[in-house]
Amino acid sequence: MTPGLGTTALRTCPLCEATCGLELRVADGRVVGARGDAAHVFSHGYVCPKGAALPQLLNDPDRLRRPLVRDTAGGGHDGRGGHDGRGGHDGRGRPGDAGWREVGWDEAFDVVRAGLRRVVDAHGRDAVGVYLGNPNAHTMAGTQHLPAFLSALGSRSLFTAATVDQMPMHAACGHVFGHPSLIPVPDLDRTDYLLMLGANPAVSNGSLCTAPDFPGRLAAIRARGGTVVVVDPRRTRTAALADEHLPIRPGTDALWLFALVNELAAAGQIRLGAVAEHLTGVERAVELAAPFTAAAVEATCGMPAETTRRIARELAAAPRAAVYGRMGTTTVAFGGLTSWLTIVLNALTGNLDTAGGAMFGRGAHGRADRPRPDGRPGGRGWRTGRWHTRVRGLPEVMGELPVAALAEEIDTPGDGRLRALVTVAGNPALSTPDARRLAAALDTLDFMVSVDPYLNETSRHADVVLPPTDPARVGHYDFMFGALAVRTVASYSPPVLPPDPGGLAEHDLLARLTLIALGQPADTDVSAVHESLLDDALRRAVAEPGSPAAGRDPAELRALVDGETTPERLLDVALRTGHFGDGFGARPDGIRLALLLANPHGVDLGPLTPRIPAMLRTVSGKVELAPEPVAADVPRLRAALDAAGGGGADGVGSAGAGLVLIGRRHPRTNNSWLHNVPAMVKGRERCTLLVHPDDAARHGVRDGGRTRLASATGALEVQVEVSDEVMAGVVCLPHGWGHGQTGTRMTVAAEHPGVNTNVLTDASQVDPLSGNAVLNGIPVRLTALD
């Protein structure tokens, strides 16, 4: 499966959610070129600047290839100043220490084993925290092997990038559909009317909606006579591709969506469509919308009442329509309500789970929707708050705690304090709120290990850095994004390059960490973990009622599994026992790994099909459109609307309120990932503060000048870019910057450091329904510096 020198290889791009096909050029044992795969069944040759720059990322000389251990790590933290005796560490200069040693894997894992064991033996398993970054969604190991490590570790102290991103949508879907992963996506290729809020897929390539060439799909909507409307405080690249751009005050989307519900009800335009008999709570949802009329929210949202009424009419009249919201709607004080309201609007206009509306993917590996044993749809339902954070008592959501609480869980003295941290493919020192506090807190840990290919702003604090081999040396299949795709496609990419003799693939790395967490001897072979995962997958397949492998002998099936590596064999089991699978011979025309290997451009399994009611996991077996936890948060929104009349409070503000900050991204960046790739940072300065001309004049700042930007949490200095692409009263700063810090080894990024917007965000502010951090709509002040 590994091509020779001077060849081409086909590969799914691992850098974002679009899952585009790439054609890679390989020479002298390296990937030296990348372009779009014109024959790919999903992306049809489309490639963005990130995908084209993949060779530079793979060949980055700053990329770590072998483990690093801090000289003092083997003997505990007393070598860096010792414990201060009050529940914290004095933190003297850990990131600035020059004492890194490149070591062999056995020595590195010995240090990890000793460090974690000290903490667990003294303080228990919950004293070890885990932070998972979003790159884990882009790897097979993140789906196949990471859960085994987390289970073996047995800590409830799990934090992920989801709570600075999409957790409000997970929470809304969990309450409404009974499972947080049942996320509807806009059926882009068949819709007639697309209403997008807080989304910029022309730059991001789509999020919680896997759709290669998103700009081309938007153009296709308009070409077939459809309409695209973008609601955003900024005139983004996506807005430029739309029929209409409607500016809105940051953080007020929930008010506006409620007003749309109100207008639909008042005009008698509610149409429930094909899922009508499977909906409950329709009347309650309409009742909750009653106070939020178009006129009542006009001033706060900055949206003319007549515009709101017109959009409601257009939504109701469109033959097929979809409402879609993303980062701008989830990283705000009412992210949970906003996400829920997108579902409500899709349901009330008859566009839920119907062609051209908001539908549900499942992925080629996805299980078939199966009812309860008695034949009725439904399941056990979903809840949150099974445990809580120590300091603020914030509830668990989807098995994890809000990352906004991570710093305080480390640096607040007392029983239950986090003493150790394992980060996997994450950079929370840049990507989470009140970043300076978290960076300081990391230095108080008794032990820290980072699974990361870079010595970055987070891993510089670690005692051990474990770099996985580069993605070209392992296979690739998109488990998570396949389930969010606007069309069902199956594609597997075998390794492009042979294994690095001195490196370690991520699945083997995680398997060794799993053995450490289980307390296994150091010489235990990782194959024990791999075989256990495969046995578990087969046992589940034969035990699941309605599975094509139900009732069969796992040993019999084990002999039929294809694949050269453990990840491939696990994938083969998932494919063959899924909705489209061959059932190990029961359905000869079904898919399996061998079929994907024989079709390197992918296999097209067709458009999305309706899944309600069979997919539902609510106790009622219905779409519960007005779940009580959501309804209970509506008075908070009403109170914020009332307060906004006095200048804004609690996450919303009137047009006359002070400046608020929002984020942005660029086609050549992906959070903090790609700033060490020369092609991604070349050109003019991108980390600038967008300021509307009226605000620039009022605050005395000029284009190209420097300003001090301050919030209640922190302050920074940044270059101003005066532009009318942001609405008045709003300033805009990209996230993922703030490089060049002491102790990092990212040469290119250090030459283009930018500033970290999360110095300004407040970790005390979270969406109560989901625990998501509030990263948009931050009140700020400008002071001209030149």
Side-chain angles (χ1 to χ4, degrees):
M1 289 190 293
T2 302
L5 299 179
T7 64
T8 59
L10 300 175
R11 178 76 178 189
T12 300
C13 181
L15 298 180
C16 79
E17 297 183 34
T19 70
C20 298
L22 297 178
E23 183 180 291
L24 303 181
R25 187 159 52 89
V26 180
D28 299 322
R30 303 166 72 239
V31 176
V32 297
R35 64 182 183 183
D37 174 10
H40 193 270
V41 298
F42 202 16
S43 58
H44 307 291
Y46 177 81
V47 65
C48 77
K50 293 186 282 286
L54 181 61
Q56 288 190 20
L57 179 67
L58 298 175
N59 300 316
D60 187 347
D62 286 338
R63 189 182 185 97
L64 302 179
R65 311 286 174 177
R66 304 294 182 267
L68 295 180
V69 171
R70 199 178 293 277
D71 276 339
T72 56
H77 276 210
D78 51 23
R80 285 191 297 278
H83 200 281
D84 67 7
R86 297 186 301 276
H89 187 282
D90 66 10
R92 283 203 295 265
R94 181 201 270 182
D97 290 348
W100 287 107
R101 291 185 295 117
E102 186 176 287
V103 301
W105 290 99
D106 287 344
E107 180 178 349
F109 283 113
D110 283 344
V111 175
V112 173
R113 177 178 288 102
L116 292 180
R117 180 174 296 169
R118 283 196 306 270
V119 172
V120 171
D121 288 350
H123 306 288
R125 290 184 176 271
D126 287 345
V128 181
V130 178
Y131 177 83
L132 307 178
N134 60 18
N136 290 290
H138 300 257
T139 68
M140 293 176 71
T143 296
Q144 295 174 330
H145 282 74
L146 191 52
F149 166 64
L150 297 176
S151 177
L153 185 62
S155 172
R156 289 182 166 183
S157 304
L158 174 64
F159 306 83
T160 85
T163 51
V164 285
D165 191 337
Q166 80 272 13
M167 189 59 82
M169 182 56 80
H170 284 300
C173 293
H175 289 303
V176 172
F177 304 118
H179 196 286
S181 295
L182 292 173
I183 297 175
V185 298
D187 187 7
L188 298 177
D189 298 337
R190 294 181 287 185
T191 196
D192 300 304
Y193 191 98
L194 180 62
L195 177 62
M196 282 192 291
L197 300 94
N200 189 11
V203 167
S204 70
N205 291 324
S207 179
L208 294 187
C209 176
T210 295
D213 190 12
F214 215 119
R217 293 173 194 270
L218 297 182
I221 295 172
R222 301 181 67 190
R224 60 178 178 260
T227 301
V228 177
V229 178
V230 171
V231 180
D232 199 289
R234 176 173 159 246
R235 191 176 63 252
T236 62
R237 291 196 183 197
T238 303
L241 300 176
D243 293 274
E244 185 173 14
H245 167 229
L246 301 176
I248 190 171
R249 287 282 294 175
T252 67
D253 305 86
L255 294 172
W256 190 66
L257 293 176
F258 253 141
L260 291 178
V261 172
N262 190 298
E263 292 301 324
L264 288 172
Q269 293 180 313
I270 292 177
R271 303 287 186 270
L272 302 181
V275 300
E277 65 179 297
H278 307 298
L279 298 177
T280 64
V282 173
E283 296 81 4
R284 177 66 169 143
V286 171
E287 176 186 299
L288 291 169
F292 305 99
T293 65
V297 306
E298 178 175 22
T300 302
C301 296
M303 186 75 72
E306 182 47 45
T307 298
T308 303
R309 298 185 184 105
R310 173 175 58 82
I311 296 297
R313 292 193 298 269
E314 291 176 1
L315 264 179
R320 300 172 298 184
V323 181
Y324 167 62
R326 263 312 282 129
M327 283 284 288
T329 66
T330 56
T331 55
V332 292
F334 296 96
L337 284 176
T338 307
S339 298
W340 166 70
L341 282 162
T342 64
I343 300 170
V344 170
L345 277 168
N346 283 316
L348 297 187
T349 54
N351 290 300
L352 182 63
D353 200 36
T354 187
M359 302 192 75
F360 298 86
R362 71 167 87 237
H365 60 282
R367 291 284 189 261
D369 296 323
R370 299 184 180 101
R372 289 184 275 212
D374 62 6
R376 295 182 299 116
R380 295 181 297 177
W382 187 74
R383 63 189 179 94
T384 65
R386 294 170 293 174
W387 57 89
H388 296 75
T389 62
R390 174 180 63 101
V391 179
R392 268 187 278 171
L394 298 175
E396 159 275 336
V397 177
M398 214 167 76
E400 60 186 80
L401 299 170
V403 74
L406 179 56
E408 67 196 38
E409 292 296 307
I410 297 171
D411 68 13
T412 302
D415 293 341
R417 182 174 69 87
L418 286 181
R419 307 285 182 140
L421 183 67
V422 180
T423 67
V424 183
N427 197 359
L430 282 191
S431 61
T432 62
D434 200 355
R436 285 176 178 161
R437 180 179 179 182
L438 178 59
L442 295 178
D443 280 344
T444 71
L445 291 165
D446 294 341
F447 187 72
M448 179 176 168
V449 56
S450 288
V451 179
D452 203 285
Y454 285 103
L455 201 55
N456 62 22
E457 293 78 16
T458 295
S459 60
R460 70 187 181 118
H461 296 272
D463 297 279
V464 182
V465 182
L466 304 172
T469 193
D470 69 69
R473 301 181 189 276
V474 294
H476 185 90
Y477 175 87
D478 284 295
F479 284 96
M480 295 191 182
F481 303 133
L484 295 168
V486 300
R487 189 175 182 89
T488 306
V489 172
S491 178
Y492 172 67
S493 307
V496 173
L497 300 175
D500 177 354
L504 198 62
E506 188 174 8
H507 59 275
D508 287 326
L509 191 161
L510 291 173
R512 292 195 68 166
L513 288 178
T514 300
L515 292 171
I516 289 172
L518 290 170
Q520 295 295 308
D523 59 354
T524 304
D525 195 291
V526 294
S527 63
V529 174
H530 300 327
E531 290 302 313
S532 175
L533 290 175
L534 189 56
D535 289 343
D536 288 347
L538 290 169
R539 279 196 295 267
R540 287 194 302 271
V542 302
E544 185 175 355
S547 164
R552 297 175 66 176
D553 181 0
E556 171 209 351
L557 300 185
R558 178 65 179 83
L560 300 175
V561 174
D562 289 333
E564 296 185 5
T565 64
T566 296
E568 287 188 349
R569 290 189 283 273
L570 289 170
L571 173 59
D572 191 49
V573 173
L575 291 171
R576 300 179 81 166
T577 59
H579 178 72
F580 299 94
D582 78 337
F584 286 99
R587 295 194 297 252
D589 59 344
I591 65 169
R592 54 186 291 185
L593 177 63
L595 180 66
L596 302 194
L597 289 171
N599 292 271
H601 302 288
V603 176
D604 184 2
L605 297 169
L608 303 183
T609 56
R611 294 180 59 190
I612 291 174
M615 73 166 202
L616 298 174
R617 292 296 174 262
T618 53
V619 174
S620 67
K622 303 283 189 179
V623 176
E624 298 179 358
L625 213 55
E628 186 51 40
V630 175
D633 196 36
V634 175
R636 184 174 67 96
L637 182 65
R638 175 65 187 272
L641 177 61
D642 293 342
D650 296 326
V652 298
S654 69
L659 293 174
V660 293
L661 173 69
I662 61 172
R664 75 177 185 272
R665 63 190 307 170
H666 189 275
R668 293 179 179 271
T669 66
N670 192 353
N671 303 324
S672 65
W673 294 16
L674 300 180
H675 295 158
N676 211 54
V677 177
M680 296 294 96
V681 293
K682 69 180 182 180
R684 66 187 184 90
E685 176 68 33
R686 295 197 192 101
C687 191
T688 60
L689 183 72
L690 297 181
V691 182
H692 189 275
D694 293 349
D695 295 320
R698 184 165 67 251
H699 292 276
V701 300
R702 61 176 179 83
D703 188 60
R706 305 284 295 177
T707 187
R708 183 177 187 271
L709 183 66
S711 71
T713 302
L716 48 79
E717 295 182 9
V718 64
Q719 181 179 319
V720 172
E721 183 177 348
V722 177
S723 171
D724 65 359
E725 73 181 61
V726 289
M727 63 188 298
V730 177
V731 294
C732 179
L733 186 66
H735 66 271
W737 299 86
H739 305 296
Q741 297 183 30
T742 301
T744 59
R745 294 184 190 173
M746 299 179 69
T747 307
V748 175
E751 294 171 352
H752 305 268
V755 294
N756 185 4
T757 184
N758 279 313
V759 168
L760 305 172
T761 53
D762 186 350
S764 71
Q765 302 298 307
V766 298
D767 168 46
L769 279 174
S770 65
N772 209 86
V774 177
L775 306 180
N776 280 294
I778 309 298
V780 291
R781 303 177 304 279
L782 285 184
T783 304
L785 297 177
D786 58 16

